[in-house]
Amino acid sequence: MSLPNITLVTFGFFEQDFLENIVLAVSSEFNCTVNLREGRIDLGEYYDPARRQYNGNTLLKIVDSMQYPDSLKVLGIFNVDLFIPILTFIFGQAFLNGRCGIASVYRLSNERYGMPKNNQLLIDRTKKEVIHELGHTFGLIHCDNPICVMRSSTYLEDVDQKRQNLCHNCKAKLEIIL
């Protein structure tokens, strides 16, 4: 059986070094080839002026409609503030057992919280969120292990406390799925 192929689609500008770090982490965690593509959509259509945020549900559907026939999974990376109607904000979301997910770096940067800029921390947080959402696409649900990347993250502190890797139990579940 050939290795799965994952496509990461960027919406907006991201530095090459940043993207290379994310690609390497995803490739390593899922033992796969990772393609990097640029997506182009008018984000204004998905902006909710009352909330001053972008609708994650709609953006997820847009990414899901994009055709990458050579990819088993597709994940869109954004730099806008995402929400879903039942939550104030989200770091990302995915279709459980589905083909795609989305993640946003918007709330992952220190500057949003009045702290000094830290590029490495932003890269580490983004790796965790991208791997987490891709885990959902492979059917993994939230994990109770406090350091597993599949643990739910409501706050930035939750993201920082976990590692970028699947715990032993989640890794075993993924191997059964693949």
Side-chain angles (χ1 to χ4, degrees), residues 59-127:
L59 289 172
L60 181 61
K61 290 175 187 170
I62 293 299
V63 172
D64 193 39
S65 72
M66 295 179 164
Q67 299 301 310
Y68 297 98
D70 60 332
S71 291
L72 180 63
K73 305 293 180 185
V74 177
L75 187 120
I77 302 175
F78 295 86
N79 190 11
V80 295
D81 198 10
L82 300 175
F83 79 94
I84 58 175
I86 62 169
L87 293 174
T88 306
F89 69 90
I90 57 172
F91 296 120
Q93 68 176 2
F95 288 123
L96 186 64
N97 271 323
R99 187 179 148 270
C100 82
I102 59 173
S104 176
V105 302
Y106 184 86
R107 288 188 181 254
L108 299 177
S109 68
N110 273 356
E111 302 93 299
R112 297 272 176 240
Y113 305 94
M115 297 183 288
K117 183 175 183 172
N118 186 326
N119 283 336
Q120 189 57 54
L121 196 53
L122 178 62
I123 289 168
D124 291 344
R125 289 169 176 163
T126 304
K127 288 178 192 177

Side-chain angles (χ1 to χ4, degrees), residues 1-162:
M1 183 171 123
S2 64
L3 295 175
N5 189 341
I6 294 173
T7 296
L8 302 179
V9 185
T10 61
F11 297 90
F13 175 78
F14 296 92
E15 291 187 14
Q16 194 60 34
D17 180 58
F18 175 86
L19 295 173
E20 288 171 3
N21 273 279
I22 306 308
V23 166
L24 187 61
V26 170
S27 177
S28 175
E29 192 60 28
F30 293 102
N31 189 28
C32 66
T33 302
V34 178
N35 298 318
L36 195 54
R37 303 280 186 260
E38 284 186 30
R40 300 207 189 286
I41 58 174
D42 179 5
L43 285 173
E45 295 180 36
Y46 311 101
Y47 184 72
D48 183 324
R51 292 183 69 136
R52 297 184 354 202
Q53 293 175 297
Y54 295 81
N55 190 318
N57 289 335
T58 319
L59 289 172
L60 181 61
K61 290 175 187 170
I62 293 299
V63 172
D64 193 39
S65 72
M66 295 179 164
Q67 299 301 310
Y68 297 98
D70 60 332
S71 291
L72 180 63
K73 305 293 180 185
V74 177
L75 187 120
I77 302 175
F78 295 86
N79 190 11
V80 295
D81 198 10
L82 300 175
F83 79 94
I84 58 175
I86 62 169
L87 293 174
T88 306
F89 69 90
I90 57 172
F91 296 120
Q93 68 176 2
F95 288 123
L96 186 64
N97 271 323
R99 187 179 148 270
C100 82
I102 59 173
S104 176
V105 302
Y106 184 86
R107 288 188 181 254
L108 299 177
S109 68
N110 273 356
E111 302 93 299
R112 297 272 176 240
Y113 305 94
M115 297 183 288
K117 183 175 183 172
N118 186 326
N119 283 336
Q120 189 57 54
L121 196 53
L122 178 62
I123 289 168
D124 291 344
R125 289 169 176 163
T126 304
K127 288 178 192 177
K128 293 173 188 181
E129 286 310 305
V130 167
I131 291 168
H132 178 95
E133 298 308 337
L134 284 167
H136 285 318
T137 69
F138 283 106
L140 298 177
I141 59 173
H142 287 151
C143 180
D144 292 333
N145 185 328
I147 60 171
C148 180
V149 75
M150 291 309 298
R151 187 177 122 215
S152 178
S153 296
T154 304
Y155 304 105
L156 196 59
E157 294 82 4
D158 299 328
V159 177
D160 289 341
Q161 290 171 1
K162 61 187 179 180

